Amino acid sequence: MKYPLLTLALSFVTHQGHALSGQVFDEQGQPVMNAQVEVVGDKKRYTTDEAGKFIIPNESVDEIHIKADGFSHKILHLHHEHSQDAIRIELLRGVLEIVDVVGVPLHASKIESAQPVSVLAGKNLRKKQAATLGETLKREIGVQSSYYGGVASSPIIRGLDGPRVLITQNGLDVSDASRVGPDHVVATEASTAEQIEILRGPATLFYGSGAIGGVVNVVDDRVPSDSLAKGAFVAEYQSVSEASALSGAYTGGNEYVAFHVDGFWRDRDDYEIPGAAELETEEEHEEEGHDEHDDETLENSASESYGFNLGGSLLFDNGYIGLSYGRLDRLNGVPGHGHEEEGEEHEDEMEEKGHEEEEETILSDLEQDRWQLISEFNLDSPYIASIKTSMGYTDYQHAEIHDEEGHEEEHEEDGHEEEDHDEDEKGHDEDEDGHHEDEEGTVFKNKTWQIKTDIVHNEIAHWKGAVSLEIKNTEFEAIGEEAFTPPSETREMSLAVVEERHVGQVLWQLGARVDNVTIKALEQELDFTPVSASAGLVWDFNKGYNAGVSLTHAERAPSAAEIFSNGPHIATRAFEAGALFTAKSENNSTELVAGNTNSINKETSNNLDLSLRKFEGNIGFVFNVFYNQVDNYYALINTGLTTEDFNIDSEETFPVYLFEQHDATLSGVEAEFVWQLQPNLKWTVWGDTVNAKLKGGEYIPRTSPTRLSTQLNFNQGPWSAEASVTRYFKQSNIAENETPTEGYSLLDARVSYDLPVTSYDANLYLAADNLTNEEARVHTSFLKDQAPLPGRNIKLGAQLSF
């Protein structure tokens, strides 16, 4: 926030021919340059000149939004709220970062929505971007990470994850296998994104029944909507894994055509950890005879990936239509696999072989091709304001490959030479098509096509809103030894309506959606009709303050995996059986019995959100309280029995888990407090907590622990610095057969220097994560006892944007 306390004054709004003009000032009466004025309805943006003036060449403007760096947003309803030609509106400086959400058909932001939303964009996104989506977002309020040894992680929103949290890219499903297993990577990339939007709580009205717990929407410019020249480039090195990363994006063109290109490359070795990977008991620790371990590395946590997007659009006076193609490739180890020999006998054998490790290593080889066609047109119609259509086709697969060449040990003996590392890490040859010829343990495939249309209408009886139509078809298949869920096809058809109206100082928001979901698997077909509805309001009860209330009824059809699973799931180290199956005991023996599909019910959520916000002045805060009552919650319950007890033939003995339907309650608090202590010094405190229980009183497994974080930001000329401490408290609210997780604190710091480059925003930075090298284990991770977080990590990088 660069400016002192400010007031925004619109000194005149007059019709001059077919134009609307105005002027923007600060509190001292000085004009504000480069303020953005957006016309709601056609989404065009106009920038104020050196005198703070702007001209909108359209006399039928009903609503405009004005924003600038250091200012809080302001919404002007010109047609009924302001009737005078000369208008003066005060706006104080705000310390909260406010970015508009673009993934929904109506205007929304952190302070202008009844439901809690947040957006990570610009410099904040660049600072937090990581190799996986979950790690990029894990310090956003209400969001934690499933963390699978650094190679995969998905966002957990308010204690919910998996099929309850929808992940989209430009509003369309990412269409991967990450909703099925925690070891599967989310097939989208944060390093080339422009912003990432998080909708906490049910977002079913905009995205369908899969969003009963929330939505993460990754927004990039692969289908450009204009030809304004812009670009961003980042290069970074990390010490903890000897990781190198490069990413870049550029959009340009002329008044008729726009084009976009972006790409990234990332390579990292196994990362260092503060001690042993396996969690020791106190007795084991004492037997070691020393106080601490030397730092080690987490085996099979190396990865390499690259991807690119190419897109172009035809531009028209009232909109655009564009097409893009994207490619994503990733090869990574899978931590927790391949340790077939253990103990002293294995160590002696390694010594005899000169420490050359000969064990089976599992690699995950991901490939995704994605096409998107997006069009948006503003209509000169008294009824319809705009129509936006998005179409996508995704062909995704990843293969889990068995590699017995011991690439990690050979890599060390070769002195970390890059060429040898690439060859050894893959541990296999490629055919002419680039596919790997080694033995494939399991292959996951997902083909999805999706069509979504948002029709935004003009005001009708003072209500403005949109109608959304959507069709999606998903074909999912898993083949191989870890194919715990059968091939399935899921088709969804949806109709949704969202409306809003300003009445004095209150913004009312209403919506409803109906989905039809058909799931085909194992020669069976199940049909569900989830119905969702929401009502909320935002009340500007005082200058710079507002309160939000939202009540949502959301229904979700279960996923095919939750119904039909029946096999060993190596990632969760369990044998999983879907809700179709029950455990039946008879004659001192137990077996899994397939039941009747009539017992499969929709999951139903009734969610209440209360928010209080202050967004003007030197102090800002957001305080959220939520209560979520979920009926027929699909919980993965540990039966306390193993595959041996069920006489299940499997190579290893696994505990048996069943998907069972239970009523559940999730409640919690989220808070953010920001104080601009001095013009160049800002203090931020935030925290969140979740309480998640089944109706019987049992805690839901892997519930997110309570967190509290404090951060100081300092700016002086071209220099900026920040330091933060985040405390993860001990999680002792655990399910049966689950162990507690100790608390830990992470100290991070960052220093950057803005380079004196004209017309560019360029800087060099030096950052450090986990400065105290603390051992930290993520309670929400299936690998918490085998894969701690990385140790001390020094990052050096450069960024350039324009």
Side-chain angles (χ1 to χ4, degrees):
M1 301 301 176
K2 303 178 180 178
Y3 303 98
L5 189 66
L6 297 173
T7 300
L8 173 66
L10 191 61
S11 63
F12 63 91
V13 180
T14 57
H15 293 290
Q16 300 176 346
H18 296 283
L20 177 71
S21 60
Q23 192 170 11
V24 179
F25 296 99
D26 65 16
E27 186 181 22
Q28 287 73 37
Q30 298 299 313
V32 176
M33 182 180 177
N34 294 326
Q36 298 292 316
V37 182
E38 179 181 336
V39 178
V40 175
D42 64 8
K43 295 187 178 180
K44 291 183 179 179
R45 295 183 178 181
Y46 303 87
T47 304
T48 58
D49 59 18
E50 294 181 355
K53 295 181 179 181
F54 66 89
I55 298 177
I56 300 174
N58 183 357
E59 63 177 2
S60 59
V61 176
D62 293 333
E63 181 178 330
I64 62 175
H65 294 182
I66 306 172
K67 51 191 173 182
D69 288 344
F71 292 80
S72 190
H73 287 196
K74 189 65 184 181
I75 301 174
L76 299 180
H77 304 281
L78 302 176
H79 62 297
H80 59 81
E81 185 176 317
H82 303 287
S83 59
Q84 301 178 15
D85 290 339
I87 303 173
R88 182 178 180 85
I89 298 176
E90 292 185 345
L91 182 67
L92 299 177
R93 179 175 60 84
V95 293
L96 297 177
E97 183 181 31
I98 302 171
V99 182
D100 289 341
V101 176
V102 301
V104 296
L106 298 181
H107 179 80
S109 73
K110 188 174 191 173
I111 64 171
E112 298 161 313
S113 172
Q115 289 185 307
V117 301
S118 55
V119 181
L120 186 61
K123 291 183 178 180
N124 278 339
L125 175 58
R126 300 282 82 82
K127 287 190 294 186
K128 296 181 179 180
Q129 69 184 39
T132 60
L133 183 63
E135 290 302 285
T136 299
L137 302 179
K138 70 178 183 179
R139 291 183 184 172
E140 296 303 295
I141 297 175
V143 183
Q144 297 199 33
S145 168
S146 63
Y147 195 75
Y148 202 86
V151 300
S153 69
S154 294
I156 300 172
I157 300 179
R158 292 179 167 181
L160 298 176
D161 63 349
R164 297 180 182 87
V165 173
L166 183 64
I167 300 177
T168 62
Q169 192 274 323
N170 291 336
L172 299 178
D173 197 332
V174 294
S175 306
D176 53 27
S178 64
R179 306 298 83 199
V180 176
D183 59 332
H184 302 159
V185 178
V186 178
T188 190
E189 179 59 33
S191 66
T192 55
E194 293 196 331
Q195 64 185 53
I196 301 177
E197 303 164 352
I198 304 166
L199 282 69
R200 302 192 296 279
T204 54
L205 300 184
F206 300 114
Y207 292 97
S209 67
I212 196 170
V215 168
V216 174
N217 183 39
V218 180
V219 179
D220 60 26
D221 202 31
R222 67 178 64 189
V223 179
S225 58
D226 58 52
S227 59
L228 179 67
K230 56 184 176 180
F233 303 91
V234 179
E236 184 177 85
Y237 171 81
Q238 298 189 23
S239 66
V240 76
S241 58
E242 297 188 4
S244 299
L246 294 171
S247 64
Y250 179 78
T251 300
N254 55 40
E255 60 181 318
Y256 305 108
V257 178
F259 69 90
H260 173 84
V261 59
D262 69 53
F264 79 96
W265 169 84
R266 184 182 295 110
D267 181 64
R268 51 177 275 180
D269 291 340
D270 292 345
Y271 67 79
E272 296 177 352
I273 53 178
E278 291 284 343
L279 180 65
E280 293 182 343
T281 64
E282 292 184 5
E283 292 78 8
E284 291 172 334
H285 183 68
E286 292 175 358
E287 290 176 2
E288 292 291 334
H290 49 76
D291 295 331
E292 60 183 26
H293 290 282
D294 294 331
D295 286 358
E296 298 183 9
T297 59
L298 182 66
E299 295 182 3
N300 302 328
S301 60
S303 66
E304 55 182 270
S305 57
Y306 73 90
F308 64 87
N309 295 293
L310 302 173
S313 299
L314 298 177
L315 305 179
F316 305 92
D317 290 340
N318 64 332
Y320 70 95
I321 180 171
L323 177 69
S324 73
Y325 166 73
R327 172 73 179 187
L328 178 63
D329 278 86
R330 180 183 174 94
L331 179 68
N332 61 264
V334 182
H337 283 270
H339 296 278
E340 296 184 345
E341 299 181 84
E342 298 179 353
E344 295 181 2
E345 181 179 345
H346 177 48
E347 293 177 2
D348 294 340
E349 185 177 333
M350 286 180 60
E351 290 178 2
E352 292 175 3
K353 295 180 179 181
H355 297 278
E356 181 176 342
E357 185 176 3
E358 291 187 359
E359 62 178 24
E360 182 184 56
T361 299
I362 304 297
L363 302 176
S364 177
D365 188 11
L366 181 155
E367 300 172 348
Q368 185 195 64
D369 296 289
R370 184 177 180 91
W371 294 87
Q372 283 189 324
L373 176 67
I374 300 177
S375 67
E376 184 170 11
F377 291 95
N378 303 309
L379 304 182
D380 186 13
S381 165
Y383 304 107
I384 300 177
S386 65
I387 298 178
K388 180 178 181 178
T389 300
S390 302
M391 294 188 289
Y393 173 76
T394 303
D395 187 355
Y396 165 96
Q397 80 165 36
H398 86 257
E400 296 185 351
I401 302 164
H402 296 257
D403 172 23
E404 299 182 359
E405 296 193 12
H407 62 278
E408 292 294 341
E409 309 305 323
E410 294 173 7
H411 171 53
E412 293 178 3
E413 293 176 4
D414 290 340
H416 298 275
E417 293 181 9
E418 184 68 26
E419 182 177 349
D420 290 3
H421 167 59
D422 291 341
E423 183 176 332
D424 291 337
E425 182 175 39
K426 293 181 180 179
H428 46 265
D429 299 326
E430 297 181 355
D431 60 20
E432 294 179 357
D433 296 326
H435 299 291
H436 303 290
E437 295 180 331
D438 273 2
E439 180 185 354
E440 293 181 345
T442 307
V443 178
F444 296 86
K445 297 182 179 181
N446 190 335
K447 293 184 178 180
T448 300
W449 60 264
Q450 185 176 7
I451 302 174
K452 183 178 182 180
T453 298
D454 294 329
I455 304 171
V456 180
H457 68 76
N458 291 316
E459 285 198 7
I460 301 175
H462 302 301
W463 287 90
K464 180 185 296 182
V467 177
S468 292
L469 305 169
E470 184 176 352
I471 300 176
K472 181 169 67 174
N473 190 84
T474 301
E475 297 178 3
F476 182 83
E477 183 179 22
I479 304 171
E481 61 184 17
E482 296 183 22
F484 61 96
T485 183
S488 63
E489 180 180 2
T490 303
R491 172 165 291 190
E492 303 176 40
M493 294 185 290
S494 308
L495 171 65
V497 179
V498 290
E499 300 290 331
E500 66 178 27
R501 177 183 178 180
H502 287 272
V503 180
Q505 301 301 312
V506 177
L507 169 64
W508 292 92
Q509 297 179 329
L510 303 174
R513 184 183 183 104
V514 59
D515 298 284
N516 179 258
V517 181
T518 302
I519 302 175
K520 298 179 180 179
L522 296 178
E523 299 182 353
Q524 300 189 60
E525 182 174 312
L526 284 75
D527 287 295
F528 303 91
T529 306
V531 176
S532 302
S534 178
L537 62 87
V538 179
W539 175 30
D540 294 318
F541 62 89
N542 200 1
K543 184 178 180 180
Y545 293 82
N546 69 28
V549 180
S550 175
L551 179 62
T552 305
H553 172 85
E555 297 180 350
R556 179 180 76 92
S559 67
E562 291 172 310
I563 301 172
F564 297 107
S565 291
N566 186 22
H569 190 178
I570 306 302
T572 62
R573 299 170 179 264
F575 186 100
E576 295 182 9
L580 183 64
F581 300 89
T582 57
K584 183 178 180 181
S585 297
E586 188 174 308
N587 297 327
N588 296 324
S589 64
T590 306
E591 61 180 344
L592 289 175
V593 178
N596 193 321
T597 57
N598 293 332
S599 63
I600 306 299
N601 299 310
K602 294 177 294 185
E603 194 173 80
T604 302
S605 165
N606 292 297
N607 186 86
L608 174 65
D609 262 293
L610 303 174
S611 300
L612 178 65
R613 307 150 179 158
K614 181 182 187 301
F615 46 88
E616 291 184 345
N618 288 326
I619 293 177
F621 60 77
V622 178
F623 184 76
N624 301 320
V625 178
F626 67 91
Y627 179 86
N628 191 4
Q629 173 66 50
V630 185
D631 297 333
N632 297 317
Y633 178 90
Y634 281 81
L636 191 58
I637 302 298
N638 189 341
T639 64
L641 303 175
T642 69
T643 49
E644 291 183 349
D645 298 317
F646 281 88
N647 294 320
I648 295 173
D649 185 19
S650 62
E651 295 183 0
E652 299 181 50
T653 299
F654 293 101
V656 176
Y657 284 70
L658 291 178
F659 278 101
E660 299 179 358
Q661 299 169 69
H662 295 267
D663 293 345
T665 300
L666 297 95
S667 58
V669 177
E670 302 161 346
E672 177 186 16
F673 174 85
V674 184
W675 184 7
Q676 193 76 41
L677 298 166
Q678 299 288 340
N680 56 356
L681 183 62
K682 182 170 66 176
W683 178 39
T684 302
V685 178
W686 64 267
D688 52 32
T689 186
V690 177
N691 186 58
K693 284 186 176 181
L694 300 178
K695 186 176 181 180
E698 304 90 350
Y699 288 101
I700 294 177
R702 293 172 300 284
T703 297
S704 305
T706 299
R707 300 181 299 177
L708 183 62
S709 181
T710 183
Q711 177 176 306
L712 280 174
N713 292 78
F714 177 79
N715 297 280
Q716 184 66 51
W719 292 95
S720 62
E722 65 181 53
S724 67
V725 178
T726 303
R727 176 65 181 176
Y728 290 75
F729 291 89
K730 179 179 180 178
Q731 181 57 285
S732 55
N733 295 336
I734 55 176
E736 187 177 359
N737 301 311
E738 185 184 16
T739 58
T741 304
E742 294 299 322
Y744 54 91
S745 299
L746 299 178
L747 172 62
D748 304 325
R750 182 185 180 95
V751 177
S752 65
Y753 176 76
D754 293 333
L755 299 174
V757 182
T758 305
S759 302
Y760 294 94
D761 182 4
N763 68 77
L764 302 175
Y765 63 89
L766 177 67
D769 297 333
N770 193 8
L771 266 171
T772 59
N773 202 37
E774 182 164 357
E775 180 178 334
R777 296 185 181 271
V778 181
H779 184 77
T780 53
S781 171
F782 280 95
L783 289 184
K784 71 164 186 168
D785 293 340
Q786 293 80 32
L789 288 174
R792 183 183 300 107
N793 183 25
I794 307 300
K795 297 186 289 188
L796 178 65
Q799 299 176 347
L800 173 68
S801 62
F802 57 90

